[in-house]
Amino acid sequence: MAVRHRFTVEELSAPAGLHPATRWELLEGEVYEMAPIGSEHAGLLDWLLAALAHKVLGQVQLRVQSPLLLSQDSLPQPGLLLLKPRADFYTRAHPRAEDVLLLVEVGLSGLEFDRQVKLPLYARHGIPEVWLAGPAGLEVFREPKGGLYRLHRLVAKGEPIAPLLLPSVELLYDPPL
């Protein structure tokens, strides 16, 4: 289970912030200490990256487990982001919701947390599409409105899927789990 603490982005960025080795996410003013990344989580994320990277090369910028600035109170670190290309590669500032083409969360033990806490946050900020990747399948959420996603689809292992904003980037969801 994640442990919560209250902070702002500025407080976490200060020298007296959290220990840098701690995995954390700031969600609506509360800091959640995240569980260490296990081999299944890392492997599934690596598989997704390999399945998507060569198909999106030159079209998007990929970010893996990096911050997404949603507000001064929310700085999640999604598993994978497909972002609109920017000349500075987001070195001047973290990407924001309007930069996101697809957000992927890899969940093995934390899927319920992602569904209950992170999905409503992403929907409120207008992230157009979120994938929750797990060993049993891929949950696809589209059309954010009023803090909810209006469309929800389960993609079983072996089924094809393409991001809504990148329809030519189809992959077969068949991770080695």
Side-chain angles (χ1 to χ4, degrees), residues 16 38 45 56 59 61 63 70 79 86 88 102 105 131 138 140 148:
L45 183 58
V56 299
Q59 298 178 62
Q61 286 181 226
R63 278 209 150 176
L70 296 179
R86 231 173 63 185
D88 73 344
L102 173 66
E105 289 285 4
W131 291 1
L138 179 74
V140 177
L148 298 171

Side-chain angles (χ1 to χ4, degrees), residues 5-12 24-32 68-76 121 125:
H5 309 276
R6 292 216 43 96
F7 284 93
T8 66
V9 171
E10 291 81 21
E11 289 169 332
L12 287 174
W24 57 266
E25 290 183 293
L26 179 64
L27 307 173
E28 300 182 299
E30 294 183 327
V31 172
Y32 291 83
L68 172 65
L69 183 61
L70 296 179
S71 70
Q72 286 307 306
D73 293 326
S74 293
L75 189 69
L121 176 68
H125 286 277

Side-chain angles (χ1 to χ4, degrees), residues 73-143:
D73 293 326
S74 293
L75 189 69
Q77 297 186 40
L80 181 62
L81 288 168
L82 276 65
L83 301 167
K84 294 175 184 174
R86 231 173 63 185
D88 73 344
F89 284 82
Y90 297 94
T91 57
R92 288 177 175 68
H94 290 307
R96 300 184 71 88
E98 58 269 15
D99 300 313
V100 177
L101 300 169
L102 173 66
L103 184 151
V104 182
E105 289 285 4
V106 174
L108 298 172
S109 60
L111 276 176
E112 205 51 43
F113 179 79
D114 290 342
R115 277 189 209 99
Q116 292 177 5
V117 177
K118 292 171 115 182
L119 269 175
L121 176 68
Y122 295 149
R124 280 193 301 280
H125 286 277
I127 304 293
E129 182 170 13
V130 175
W131 291 1
L132 296 183
L138 179 74
E139 289 183 74
V140 177
F141 297 86
R142 294 176 172 164
E143 291 190 23

Side-chain angles (χ1 to χ4, degrees), residues 10-74:
E10 291 81 21
E11 289 169 332
L12 287 174
S13 300
L18 296 178
H19 186 276
T22 303
R23 286 189 65 237
W24 57 266
E25 290 183 293
L26 179 64
L27 307 173
E28 300 182 299
E30 294 183 327
V31 172
Y32 291 83
E33 186 175 332
M34 305 309 288
I37 296 172
S39 61
E40 284 185 337
H41 178 109
L44 179 53
L45 183 58
D46 288 347
W47 179 85
L48 282 162
L49 188 58
L52 287 168
H54 71 281
K55 295 180 182 211
V56 299
L57 189 63
Q59 298 178 62
V60 305
Q61 286 181 226
L62 290 169
R63 278 209 150 176
V64 178
Q65 293 177 331
S66 296
L68 172 65
L69 183 61
L70 296 179
S71 70
Q72 286 307 306
D73 293 326
S74 293

Side-chain angles (χ1 to χ4, degrees), residues 144-160:
K145 185 171 183 175
L148 298 171
Y149 283 93
R150 294 170 42 141
L151 295 179
H152 175 216
R153 173 182 169 207
L154 180 61
V155 177
K157 282 183 78 167
E159 283 188 62

